[in-house]
Amino acid sequence: MKITRFAPSPTGRLHLGHAYSARIAHAAARETQGAQGAQGAQGRFLLRFEDIDHTRVRPEFYEGILEDLRWLGLNWNGEPWKQLDRLPAYRSALEELKKLGVIYPCYCTRREIQSELAQLSSAPHQPASHQDGPPYPGTCRPRDASPPQQAQPSSTQSTPAWRLDCEKAAQLTGPLTFQTNSGEQIPVQANLLGDVILARKDIGTSYHLAVVVDDAAQGISHITRGQDLLPSTHIHRLLQSLLSLPEPIYLHHQLICDDSGERLAKRHDSLAIATLRARGHRPEELWEMLNALPKK
Ligand code: GLU
């Protein structure tokens, strides 16, 4: 039985790229339903609102996204989850990681990180993810065996962010792999994104921590997501191992682009589901449009 999910952010309405992603997750769950018969073990397609970017979230987008999915015929199981309801779960996961000694407080401002990075012209070139930006230069990383709690704030801010010490974490877990839907075992590169933030100053969690905790709590067996999140999957597998959470199977799908080959984003209003629907298109026509759009 496959349990899949779609995890949109309620910071805008869905566009064709989201529809593509949601359809893949929906189809994966429904496949098993068909195979087992109506009364057998059924796949489940779950929803989760990634709303920790609370300043960009708008209340009307929660219902708007549900409306888009309903209209597309992508019906989900159970009540959608909201990450803002789950902050205590993220806090306790963070406590566990603290006890393991694999996270440290970081008092750097964005500006400080940028100027540090600018000075490190010889810094090893690592990929930047759209979630995290360039890898953190390690300013607040504990240098020796001193416990992380003794790190000193470099500014007047009293609430730190918490970062993963990716090298320490990798030492603790040993070599790891993650499994793809085609049966491949991909070796985890723990330092692929550097010491990512696991708890932001403002909300006490981050995309990486929240998604790992929630995928386990919702019992997600198959994670279907865009290829842009492939680097993040390395970090997520590491966190699953540290937190003794189950290991899901991953499918990284292509990204839908516009005619000029640029990845679809919220600003592509003309390709928003709600806009296309208002123009009189039917869901079948949207699926046809999707098939015709370039993918990368
Ligand atoms: N919210 C993420 C996105 O739309 C997906 C979350 C995930 O797969 O981890 O890109």
PDB file of all heavy atoms in Angstrom, residues 102-132:
ATOM      1  N   VAL A 102      24.157  17.132  17.535  1.00  0.00           N
ATOM      2  CA  VAL A 102      24.393  17.315  16.096  1.00  0.00           C
ATOM      3  C   VAL A 102      23.850  18.644  15.567  1.00  0.00           C
ATOM      4  O   VAL A 102      23.807  18.852  14.360  1.00  0.00           O
ATOM      5  CB  VAL A 102      23.812  16.141  15.263  1.00  0.00           C
ATOM      6  CG1 VAL A 102      24.565  14.860  15.558  1.00  0.00           C
ATOM      7  CG2 VAL A 102      22.318  15.990  15.509  1.00  0.00           C
ATOM      8  N   ILE A 103      23.407  19.518  16.484  1.00  0.00           N
ATOM      9  CA  ILE A 103      22.971  20.845  16.032  1.00  0.00           C
ATOM     10  C   ILE A 103      23.649  21.897  16.906  1.00  0.00           C
ATOM     11  O   ILE A 103      24.082  21.606  18.012  1.00  0.00           O
ATOM     12  CB  ILE A 103      21.430  21.014  16.075  1.00  0.00           C
ATOM     13  CG1 ILE A 103      20.869  20.797  17.490  1.00  0.00           C
ATOM     14  CG2 ILE A 103      20.757  20.073  15.091  1.00  0.00           C
ATOM     15  CD1 ILE A 103      19.380  21.103  17.592  1.00  0.00           C
ATOM     16  N   TYR A 104      23.745  23.086  16.377  1.00  0.00           N
ATOM     17  CA  TYR A 104      24.348  24.154  17.167  1.00  0.00           C
ATOM     18  C   TYR A 104      23.603  25.464  16.893  1.00  0.00           C
ATOM     19  O   TYR A 104      23.023  25.649  15.821  1.00  0.00           O
ATOM     20  CB  TYR A 104      25.850  24.285  16.854  1.00  0.00           C
ATOM     21  CG  TYR A 104      26.191  24.608  15.419  1.00  0.00           C
ATOM     22  CD1 TYR A 104      26.267  25.925  14.950  1.00  0.00           C
ATOM     23  CD2 TYR A 104      26.444  23.576  14.508  1.00  0.00           C
ATOM     24  CE1 TYR A 104      26.605  26.210  13.634  1.00  0.00           C
ATOM     25  CE2 TYR A 104      26.776  23.850  13.189  1.00  0.00           C
ATOM     26  CZ  TYR A 104      26.848  25.167  12.756  1.00  0.00           C
ATOM     27  OH  TYR A 104      27.171  25.441  11.448  1.00  0.00           O
ATOM     28  N   PRO A 105      23.613  26.368  17.911  1.00  0.00           N
ATOM     29  CA  PRO A 105      22.902  27.639  17.716  1.00  0.00           C
ATOM     30  C   PRO A 105      23.705  28.567  16.818  1.00  0.00           C
ATOM     31  O   PRO A 105      24.928  28.584  16.879  1.00  0.00           O
ATOM     32  CB  PRO A 105      22.804  28.211  19.137  1.00  0.00           C
ATOM     33  CG  PRO A 105      23.893  27.558  19.908  1.00  0.00           C
ATOM     34  CD  PRO A 105      24.210  26.248  19.256  1.00  0.00           C
ATOM     35  N   CYS A 106      22.993  29.323  16.014  1.00  0.00           N
ATOM     36  CA  CYS A 106      23.645  30.236  15.075  1.00  0.00           C
ATOM     37  C   CYS A 106      23.009  31.611  15.236  1.00  0.00           C
ATOM     38  O   CYS A 106      21.784  31.749  15.145  1.00  0.00           O
ATOM     39  CB  CYS A 106      23.458  29.714  13.651  1.00  0.00           C
ATOM     40  SG  CYS A 106      24.002  30.877  12.394  1.00  0.00           S
ATOM     41  N   TYR A 107      23.849  32.602  15.495  1.00  0.00           N
ATOM     42  CA  TYR A 107      23.358  33.967  15.743  1.00  0.00           C
ATOM     43  C   TYR A 107      23.595  34.884  14.556  1.00  0.00           C
ATOM     44  O   TYR A 107      23.357  36.078  14.628  1.00  0.00           O
ATOM     45  CB  TYR A 107      24.042  34.543  16.999  1.00  0.00           C
ATOM     46  CG  TYR A 107      23.689  33.781  18.260  1.00  0.00           C
ATOM     47  CD1 TYR A 107      24.447  32.689  18.661  1.00  0.00           C
ATOM     48  CD2 TYR A 107      22.592  34.148  19.035  1.00  0.00           C
ATOM     49  CE1 TYR A 107      24.127  31.975  19.813  1.00  0.00           C
ATOM     50  CE2 TYR A 107      22.260  33.451  20.186  1.00  0.00           C
ATOM     51  CZ  TYR A 107      23.034  32.362  20.564  1.00  0.00           C
ATOM     52  OH  TYR A 107      22.709  31.667  21.695  1.00  0.00           O
ATOM     53  N   CYS A 108      24.120  34.319  13.462  1.00  0.00           N
ATOM     54  CA  CYS A 108      24.472  35.156  12.312  1.00  0.00           C
ATOM     55  C   CYS A 108      23.226  35.780  11.676  1.00  0.00           C
ATOM     56  O   CYS A 108      22.175  35.134  11.593  1.00  0.00           O
ATOM     57  CB  CYS A 108      25.146  34.318  11.231  1.00  0.00           C
ATOM     58  SG  CYS A 108      26.722  33.643  11.730  1.00  0.00           S
ATOM     59  N   THR A 109      23.395  36.980  11.196  1.00  0.00           N
ATOM     60  CA  THR A 109      22.344  37.573  10.371  1.00  0.00           C
ATOM     61  C   THR A 109      22.648  37.195   8.920  1.00  0.00           C
ATOM     62  O   THR A 109      23.771  36.791   8.598  1.00  0.00           O
ATOM     63  CB  THR A 109      22.362  39.108  10.485  1.00  0.00           C
ATOM     64  OG1 THR A 109      23.633  39.561  10.007  1.00  0.00           O
ATOM     65  CG2 THR A 109      22.148  39.578  11.910  1.00  0.00           C
ATOM     66  N   ARG A 110      21.653  37.371   8.088  1.00  0.00           N
ATOM     67  CA  ARG A 110      21.828  37.074   6.659  1.00  0.00           C
ATOM     68  C   ARG A 110      23.002  37.885   6.083  1.00  0.00           C
ATOM     69  O   ARG A 110      23.821  37.389   5.324  1.00  0.00           O
ATOM     70  CB  ARG A 110      20.532  37.455   5.939  1.00  0.00           C
ATOM     71  CG  ARG A 110      20.257  36.646   4.715  1.00  0.00           C
ATOM     72  CD  ARG A 110      18.911  37.041   4.186  1.00  0.00           C
ATOM     73  NE  ARG A 110      17.851  36.397   4.977  1.00  0.00           N
ATOM     74  CZ  ARG A 110      16.962  35.579   4.459  1.00  0.00           C
ATOM     75  NH1 ARG A 110      16.974  35.322   3.175  1.00  0.00           N
ATOM     76  NH2 ARG A 110      16.028  35.021   5.197  1.00  0.00           N
ATOM     77  N   ARG A 111      23.050  39.148   6.514  1.00  0.00           N
ATOM     78  CA  ARG A 111      24.097  40.050   6.014  1.00  0.00           C
ATOM     79  C   ARG A 111      25.494  39.556   6.425  1.00  0.00           C
ATOM     80  O   ARG A 111      26.421  39.553   5.633  1.00  0.00           O
ATOM     81  CB  ARG A 111      23.838  41.451   6.593  1.00  0.00           C
ATOM     82  CG  ARG A 111      24.720  42.528   6.030  1.00  0.00           C
ATOM     83  CD  ARG A 111      24.402  43.822   6.744  1.00  0.00           C
ATOM     84  NE  ARG A 111      23.070  44.290   6.347  1.00  0.00           N
ATOM     85  CZ  ARG A 111      22.868  45.358   5.570  1.00  0.00           C
ATOM     86  NH1 ARG A 111      23.888  46.054   5.152  1.00  0.00           N
ATOM     87  NH2 ARG A 111      21.665  45.729   5.252  1.00  0.00           N
ATOM     88  N   GLU A 112      25.601  39.106   7.691  1.00  0.00           N
ATOM     89  CA  GLU A 112      26.901  38.599   8.170  1.00  0.00           C
ATOM     90  C   GLU A 112      27.338  37.376   7.354  1.00  0.00           C
ATOM     91  O   GLU A 112      28.501  37.230   7.006  1.00  0.00           O
ATOM     92  CB  GLU A 112      26.813  38.218   9.655  1.00  0.00           C
ATOM     93  CG  GLU A 112      26.841  39.421  10.578  1.00  0.00           C
ATOM     94  CD  GLU A 112      26.390  39.116  12.010  1.00  0.00           C
ATOM     95  OE1 GLU A 112      25.824  38.027  12.259  1.00  0.00           O
ATOM     96  OE2 GLU A 112      26.585  39.979  12.866  1.00  0.00           O
ATOM     97  N   ILE A 113      26.371  36.514   7.061  1.00  0.00           N
ATOM     98  CA  ILE A 113      26.707  35.306   6.290  1.00  0.00           C
ATOM     99  C   ILE A 113      27.181  35.690   4.896  1.00  0.00           C
ATOM    100  O   ILE A 113      28.179  35.172   4.394  1.00  0.00           O
ATOM    101  CB  ILE A 113      25.485  34.354   6.218  1.00  0.00           C
ATOM    102  CG1 ILE A 113      25.152  33.838   7.612  1.00  0.00           C
ATOM    103  CG2 ILE A 113      25.742  33.189   5.259  1.00  0.00           C
ATOM    104  CD1 ILE A 113      23.892  33.006   7.710  1.00  0.00           C
ATOM    105  N   GLN A 114      26.476  36.656   4.311  1.00  0.00           N
ATOM    106  CA  GLN A 114      26.855  37.085   2.957  1.00  0.00           C
ATOM    107  C   GLN A 114      28.261  37.653   2.924  1.00  0.00           C
ATOM    108  O   GLN A 114      29.055  37.331   2.048  1.00  0.00           O
ATOM    109  CB  GLN A 114      25.872  38.131   2.433  1.00  0.00           C
ATOM    110  CG  GLN A 114      24.686  37.484   1.748  1.00  0.00           C
ATOM    111  CD  GLN A 114      23.524  38.442   1.567  1.00  0.00           C
ATOM    112  OE1 GLN A 114      23.643  39.636   1.878  1.00  0.00           O
ATOM    113  NE2 GLN A 114      22.413  37.934   1.076  1.00  0.00           N
ATOM    114  N   SER A 115      28.600  38.484   3.918  1.00  0.00           N
ATOM    115  CA  SER A 115      29.931  39.104   3.853  1.00  0.00           C
ATOM    116  C   SER A 115      31.003  38.058   4.146  1.00  0.00           C
ATOM    117  O   SER A 115      32.081  38.090   3.565  1.00  0.00           O
ATOM    118  CB  SER A 115      30.033  40.334   4.755  1.00  0.00           C
ATOM    119  OG  SER A 115      30.081  39.948   6.088  1.00  0.00           O
ATOM    120  N   GLU A 116      30.708  37.119   5.032  1.00  0.00           N
ATOM    121  CA  GLU A 116      31.651  36.018   5.309  1.00  0.00           C
ATOM    122  C   GLU A 116      31.892  35.197   4.033  1.00  0.00           C
ATOM    123  O   GLU A 116      33.022  34.873   3.688  1.00  0.00           O
ATOM    124  CB  GLU A 116      31.041  35.131   6.405  1.00  0.00           C
ATOM    125  CG  GLU A 116      31.897  33.962   6.813  1.00  0.00           C
ATOM    126  CD  GLU A 116      32.776  34.256   8.030  1.00  0.00           C
ATOM    127  OE1 GLU A 116      32.583  35.310   8.653  1.00  0.00           O
ATOM    128  OE2 GLU A 116      33.656  33.427   8.313  1.00  0.00           O
ATOM    129  N   LEU A 117      30.799  34.912   3.324  1.00  0.00           N
ATOM    130  CA  LEU A 117      30.919  34.113   2.093  1.00  0.00           C
ATOM    131  C   LEU A 117      31.734  34.860   1.037  1.00  0.00           C
ATOM    132  O   LEU A 117      32.535  34.272   0.323  1.00  0.00           O
ATOM    133  CB  LEU A 117      29.538  33.773   1.531  1.00  0.00           C
ATOM    134  CG  LEU A 117      28.778  32.646   2.235  1.00  0.00           C
ATOM    135  CD1 LEU A 117      27.349  32.560   1.722  1.00  0.00           C
ATOM    136  CD2 LEU A 117      29.485  31.314   2.057  1.00  0.00           C
ATOM    137  N   ALA A 118      31.523  36.187   0.995  1.00  0.00           N
ATOM    138  CA  ALA A 118      32.241  36.994   0.007  1.00  0.00           C
ATOM    139  C   ALA A 118      33.747  36.950   0.267  1.00  0.00           C
ATOM    140  O   ALA A 118      34.552  36.964  -0.659  1.00  0.00           O
ATOM    141  CB  ALA A 118      31.732  38.426   0.054  1.00  0.00           C
ATOM    142  N   GLN A 119      34.106  36.887   1.572  1.00  0.00           N
ATOM    143  CA  GLN A 119      35.539  36.833   1.914  1.00  0.00           C
ATOM    144  C   GLN A 119      36.158  35.472   1.600  1.00  0.00           C
ATOM    145  O   GLN A 119      37.346  35.368   1.357  1.00  0.00           O
ATOM    146  CB  GLN A 119      35.724  37.122   3.404  1.00  0.00           C
ATOM    147  CG  GLN A 119      35.600  38.607   3.722  1.00  0.00           C
ATOM    148  CD  GLN A 119      35.500  38.844   5.223  1.00  0.00           C
ATOM    149  OE1 GLN A 119      35.972  38.037   6.008  1.00  0.00           O
ATOM    150  NE2 GLN A 119      34.873  39.932   5.595  1.00  0.00           N
ATOM    151  N   LEU A 120      35.325  34.455   1.669  1.00  0.00           N
ATOM    152  CA  LEU A 120      35.840  33.093   1.456  1.00  0.00           C
ATOM    153  C   LEU A 120      35.860  32.759  -0.032  1.00  0.00           C
ATOM    154  O   LEU A 120      35.156  31.874  -0.482  1.00  0.00           O
ATOM    155  CB  LEU A 120      34.948  32.061   2.176  1.00  0.00           C
ATOM    156  CG  LEU A 120      34.952  32.079   3.697  1.00  0.00           C
ATOM    157  CD1 LEU A 120      33.883  31.136   4.220  1.00  0.00           C
ATOM    158  CD2 LEU A 120      36.311  31.663   4.244  1.00  0.00           C
ATOM    159  N   SER A 121      36.652  33.465  -0.763  1.00  0.00           N
ATOM    160  CA  SER A 121      36.626  33.241  -2.217  1.00  0.00           C
ATOM    161  C   SER A 121      37.113  31.849  -2.563  1.00  0.00           C
ATOM    162  O   SER A 121      36.785  31.291  -3.603  1.00  0.00           O
ATOM    163  CB  SER A 121      37.469  34.288  -2.921  1.00  0.00           C
ATOM    164  OG  SER A 121      38.724  34.345  -2.306  1.00  0.00           O
ATOM    165  N   SER A 122      37.909  31.237  -1.640  1.00  0.00           N
ATOM    166  CA  SER A 122      38.429  29.899  -1.924  1.00  0.00           C
ATOM    167  C   SER A 122      37.509  28.803  -1.373  1.00  0.00           C
ATOM    168  O   SER A 122      37.883  27.645  -1.360  1.00  0.00           O
ATOM    169  CB  SER A 122      39.817  29.752  -1.318  1.00  0.00           C
ATOM    170  OG  SER A 122      39.720  29.916   0.080  1.00  0.00           O
ATOM    171  N   ALA A 123      36.340  29.210  -0.898  1.00  0.00           N
ATOM    172  CA  ALA A 123      35.425  28.225  -0.301  1.00  0.00           C
ATOM    173  C   ALA A 123      35.060  27.156  -1.324  1.00  0.00           C
ATOM    174  O   ALA A 123      34.885  27.457  -2.500  1.00  0.00           O
ATOM    175  CB  ALA A 123      34.162  28.929   0.177  1.00  0.00           C
ATOM    176  N   PRO A 124      34.966  25.896  -0.880  1.00  0.00           N
ATOM    177  CA  PRO A 124      34.606  24.842  -1.826  1.00  0.00           C
ATOM    178  C   PRO A 124      33.238  25.107  -2.428  1.00  0.00           C
ATOM    179  O   PRO A 124      32.336  25.616  -1.754  1.00  0.00           O
ATOM    180  CB  PRO A 124      34.571  23.573  -0.959  1.00  0.00           C
ATOM    181  CG  PRO A 124      34.515  24.061   0.455  1.00  0.00           C
ATOM    182  CD  PRO A 124      35.097  25.427   0.487  1.00  0.00           C
ATOM    183  N   HIS A 125      33.125  24.798  -3.687  1.00  0.00           N
ATOM    184  CA  HIS A 125      31.880  25.119  -4.371  1.00  0.00           C
ATOM    185  C   HIS A 125      30.836  24.038  -4.137  1.00  0.00           C
ATOM    186  O   HIS A 125      30.990  22.916  -4.558  1.00  0.00           O
ATOM    187  CB  HIS A 125      32.138  25.298  -5.854  1.00  0.00           C
ATOM    188  CG  HIS A 125      31.207  26.292  -6.421  1.00  0.00           C
ATOM    189  ND1 HIS A 125      31.360  27.642  -6.216  1.00  0.00           N
ATOM    190  CD2 HIS A 125      30.082  26.135  -7.148  1.00  0.00           C
ATOM    191  CE1 HIS A 125      30.367  28.272  -6.804  1.00  0.00           C
ATOM    192  NE2 HIS A 125      29.578  27.386  -7.384  1.00  0.00           N
ATOM    193  N   GLN A 126      29.809  24.381  -3.411  1.00  0.00           N
ATOM    194  CA  GLN A 126      28.736  23.429  -3.155  1.00  0.00           C
ATOM    195  C   GLN A 126      27.452  23.992  -3.730  1.00  0.00           C
ATOM    196  O   GLN A 126      27.308  25.206  -3.844  1.00  0.00           O
ATOM    197  CB  GLN A 126      28.579  23.218  -1.647  1.00  0.00           C
ATOM    198  CG  GLN A 126      29.700  22.373  -1.060  1.00  0.00           C
ATOM    199  CD  GLN A 126      29.586  22.313   0.453  1.00  0.00           C
ATOM    200  OE1 GLN A 126      29.683  23.333   1.121  1.00  0.00           O
ATOM    201  NE2 GLN A 126      29.369  21.129   0.979  1.00  0.00           N
ATOM    202  N   PRO A 127      26.504  23.132  -4.081  1.00  0.00           N
ATOM    203  CA  PRO A 127      25.282  23.664  -4.675  1.00  0.00           C
ATOM    204  C   PRO A 127      24.455  24.451  -3.655  1.00  0.00           C
ATOM    205  O   PRO A 127      24.474  24.146  -2.474  1.00  0.00           O
ATOM    206  CB  PRO A 127      24.523  22.396  -5.107  1.00  0.00           C
ATOM    207  CG  PRO A 127      25.075  21.298  -4.270  1.00  0.00           C
ATOM    208  CD  PRO A 127      26.484  21.685  -3.929  1.00  0.00           C
ATOM    209  N   ALA A 128      23.769  25.476  -4.133  1.00  0.00           N
ATOM    210  CA  ALA A 128      22.841  26.211  -3.282  1.00  0.00           C
ATOM    211  C   ALA A 128      21.457  25.650  -3.560  1.00  0.00           C
ATOM    212  O   ALA A 128      21.126  25.375  -4.698  1.00  0.00           O
ATOM    213  CB  ALA A 128      22.889  27.682  -3.647  1.00  0.00           C
ATOM    214  N   SER A 129      20.660  25.421  -2.535  1.00  0.00           N
ATOM    215  CA  SER A 129      19.303  24.968  -2.800  1.00  0.00           C
ATOM    216  C   SER A 129      18.390  26.181  -2.736  1.00  0.00           C
ATOM    217  O   SER A 129      18.738  27.186  -2.111  1.00  0.00           O
ATOM    218  CB  SER A 129      18.862  23.935  -1.768  1.00  0.00           C
ATOM    219  OG  SER A 129      18.397  24.587  -0.608  1.00  0.00           O
ATOM    220  N   HIS A 130      17.217  26.060  -3.356  1.00  0.00           N
ATOM    221  CA  HIS A 130      16.333  27.231  -3.319  1.00  0.00           C
ATOM    222  C   HIS A 130      15.781  27.450  -1.919  1.00  0.00           C
ATOM    223  O   HIS A 130      15.322  28.521  -1.586  1.00  0.00           O
ATOM    224  CB  HIS A 130      15.220  27.125  -4.371  1.00  0.00           C
ATOM    225  CG  HIS A 130      14.199  26.078  -4.078  1.00  0.00           C
ATOM    226  ND1 HIS A 130      14.345  24.776  -4.458  1.00  0.00           N
ATOM    227  CD2 HIS A 130      13.025  26.152  -3.426  1.00  0.00           C
ATOM    228  CE1 HIS A 130      13.294  24.092  -4.059  1.00  0.00           C
ATOM    229  NE2 HIS A 130      12.469  24.899  -3.435  1.00  0.00           N
ATOM    230  N   GLN A 131      15.847  26.430  -1.082  1.00  0.00           N
ATOM    231  CA  GLN A 131      15.372  26.579   0.298  1.00  0.00           C
ATOM    232  C   GLN A 131      16.422  27.275   1.158  1.00  0.00           C
ATOM    233  O   GLN A 131      16.092  28.013   2.058  1.00  0.00           O
ATOM    234  CB  GLN A 131      15.115  25.198   0.936  1.00  0.00           C
ATOM    235  CG  GLN A 131      14.143  24.326   0.205  1.00  0.00           C
ATOM    236  CD  GLN A 131      12.718  24.748   0.453  1.00  0.00           C
ATOM    237  OE1 GLN A 131      12.437  25.526   1.372  1.00  0.00           O
ATOM    238  NE2 GLN A 131      11.803  24.251  -0.356  1.00  0.00           N
ATOM    239  N   ASP A 132      17.677  26.985   0.900  1.00  0.00           N
ATOM    240  CA  ASP A 132      18.722  27.350   1.852  1.00  0.00           C
ATOM    241  C   ASP A 132      19.717  28.382   1.368  1.00  0.00           C
ATOM    242  O   ASP A 132      20.487  28.888   2.168  1.00  0.00           O
ATOM    243  CB  ASP A 132      19.505  26.093   2.246  1.00  0.00           C
ATOM    244  CG  ASP A 132      18.596  25.010   2.757  1.00  0.00           C
ATOM    245  OD1 ASP A 132      18.081  25.161   3.864  1.00  0.00           O
ATOM    246  OD2 ASP A 132      18.359  24.026   2.030  1.00  0.00           O
TER     247      ASP A 132
END
